[in-house]
Amino acid sequence: MTQSTAAPAGRFHTGRLSEGRPQALEAWRVTTDDADVAARIAGLLGGEPRPNEGTGSTGLAYEVLTSRESVRILLDGPDAVAAHMVLWGSVGLIHHCDGVEFLSPEEKKGRPCGCPPLLEDRKLAARAMRGPTPSVDITFQIAAAPELGAFHFMTASWQMAAQLSDLTEALERVNGPAVCDLTIELVVYTSKAGRGVCYRKPVVTVLGSLDTIAPEPPPVAEPVPAPAPSAPRRKARLAPEPTTPPVPESRRSVSVGVDADLLRSAAQVLGTGDHQETVTAALSEILAGRQQTPELAQLREHVGRIAAIAGQALQGQESSLT
């Protein structure tokens, strides 16, 4: 595979403009001027082709808001990744380098650019508007449909800039077209001030050569629900069965309204081991906006009830859901 000199088939984006405001996305957005390409993208990655309302500076006619946060792509060696450092001013481009030497204008090309060697120092200079920011352009094909042509992903992500040296080395080791995953990765951490921070960053993972890696990841097997326990056989009564003593009020408050089958089903989806862990994991999924299964959607409706039941259980000195 060689880099195509034809016009790109389209662009991949991690965000869009919505009513004039930037909006970060959880799945890839693809823009293109070709209606047929838009239809193929929707068939491959989910979503529906529609007029591009979040045009920004691309000016491409169609957009597809896909359902995929990771896409398997083909990169044709290190040359598929172009990385510059740029600083724009009111008069246009005022600094253009590769981090070591100027790339333009012609009279400065090849001269030392003066950028700090450390990435953190470059970030500080950029925040103070005294230094350039990254401009990374990745040219690739969709592994499952290379006939669609070349796509671009352009980003100013400092995280992507920090990944570039490892990325180019990995592409060199493949020594030919490399199968990669282009992913919008969720990052969650707690800051030094104790605040929860959540954001998404683009990541390219080199998987291997075309001979060793499939153009599409294998499908994820759906969890197999556990068979319902068979009802025990009832023996012929020889005498009246003893009456079951009444359940104490505190325990009844714990039992009423808890859908054990729902919790078990959600545990299979979430991979959790007990009810408490299931509820915690479900809350995390819901807060992250990632409830994509009927089990989680149903569990979301029950979270308030489960929380109330848990509170009653604590008041009644009960410590577990039944």
Side-chain angles (χ1 to χ4, degrees), residues 13 16 70 100-101 130 162 168-169 180 216 218 232 296:
H13 311 261
R16 69 192 299 265
S70 186
V100 179
E101 298 177 345
R130 293 184 290 101
T168 53
E169 289 177 5
C180 310
E216 275 291 309
L296 291 186

Side-chain angles (χ1 to χ4, degrees), residues 4-321:
S4 173
T5 58
R11 289 184 55 186
F12 275 57
H13 311 261
T14 59
R16 69 192 299 265
L17 289 178
S18 177
E19 298 180 350
R21 296 182 179 182
Q23 176 188 10
L25 300 174
E26 297 180 358
W28 287 106
R29 167 177 168 254
V30 183
T31 58
T32 180
D33 266 336
D34 191 320
D36 292 335
V37 171
R40 287 289 307 278
I41 290 295
L44 288 167
L45 308 179
E48 294 289 339
R50 65 184 190 180
N52 184 7
E53 299 174 354
T55 55
S57 61
T58 66
L60 300 180
Y62 305 98
E63 72 173 358
V64 181
L65 301 178
T66 77
S67 59
R68 297 278 288 273
E69 62 183 22
S70 186
V71 179
R72 190 147 292 182
I73 64 173
L74 302 177
L75 289 180
D76 194 5
D79 291 341
V81 182
H84 302 161
M85 300 290 292
V86 295
L87 175 62
W88 297 90
S90 58
V91 296
L93 184 63
I94 59 178
H95 186 113
H96 181 205
C97 71
D98 61 3
V100 179
E101 298 177 345
F102 280 109
L103 299 175
S104 69
E106 193 63 34
E107 60 269 20
K108 287 186 177 181
K109 188 174 181 179
R111 296 181 185 177
C113 61
C115 288
L118 298 180
L119 191 66
E120 287 302 317
D121 292 335
R122 295 182 186 180
K123 291 173 69 173
L124 291 175
R127 288 172 184 167
M129 299 299 293
R130 293 184 290 101
T133 57
S135 177
V136 181
D137 185 359
I138 301 175
T139 304
F140 60 92
Q141 294 172 313
I142 297 175
E147 69 278 3
L148 291 180
F151 291 82
H152 284 265
F153 170 57
M154 302 180 69
T155 178
S157 165
W158 286 99
Q159 291 88 353
M160 178 65 76
Q163 182 195 8
L164 288 178
S165 60
D166 292 338
L167 175 58
T168 53
E169 289 177 5
L171 292 172
E172 288 173 350
R173 287 194 296 270
V174 173
N175 192 27
V179 182
C180 310
D181 279 343
L182 178 63
T183 305
I184 303 177
E185 183 177 285
L186 177 64
V187 179
V188 180
Y189 69 94
T190 303
S191 68
K192 294 180 180 179
R195 293 182 178 180
V197 179
C198 176
Y199 69 94
R200 293 179 182 271
K201 66 177 182 179
V203 176
V204 177
T205 304
V206 179
L207 303 175
S209 66
L210 283 166
D211 297 332
T212 59
I213 303 297
E216 275 291 309
V220 178
E222 292 291 335
V224 179
S230 56
R233 294 182 178 179
R234 298 179 62 87
K235 297 181 179 179
R237 293 189 192 181
L238 300 179
E241 294 183 351
T243 304
T244 304
V247 179
E249 184 63 30
S250 62
R251 181 167 296 279
R252 285 169 57 193
S253 66
V254 175
S255 301
V256 174
V258 177
D259 191 334
D261 290 336
L262 171 62
L263 286 172
R264 280 195 294 270
S265 180
Q268 291 176 343
V269 174
L270 296 167
T272 50
D274 56 43
H275 293 340
Q276 181 178 358
E277 186 181 358
T278 300
V279 174
T280 301
L283 283 170
S284 299
E285 292 285 333
I286 291 163
L287 291 175
R290 297 179 62 193
Q291 61 278 15
Q292 296 177 357
T293 65
E295 290 85 357
L296 291 186
Q298 189 180 5
L299 187 60
R300 182 180 188 181
E301 299 176 0
H302 285 65
V303 166
R305 180 182 296 176
I306 294 171
I309 292 168
Q312 294 173 9
L314 291 174
Q315 294 176 3
Q317 302 302 313
E318 297 287 342
S319 59
S320 65
L321 294 175

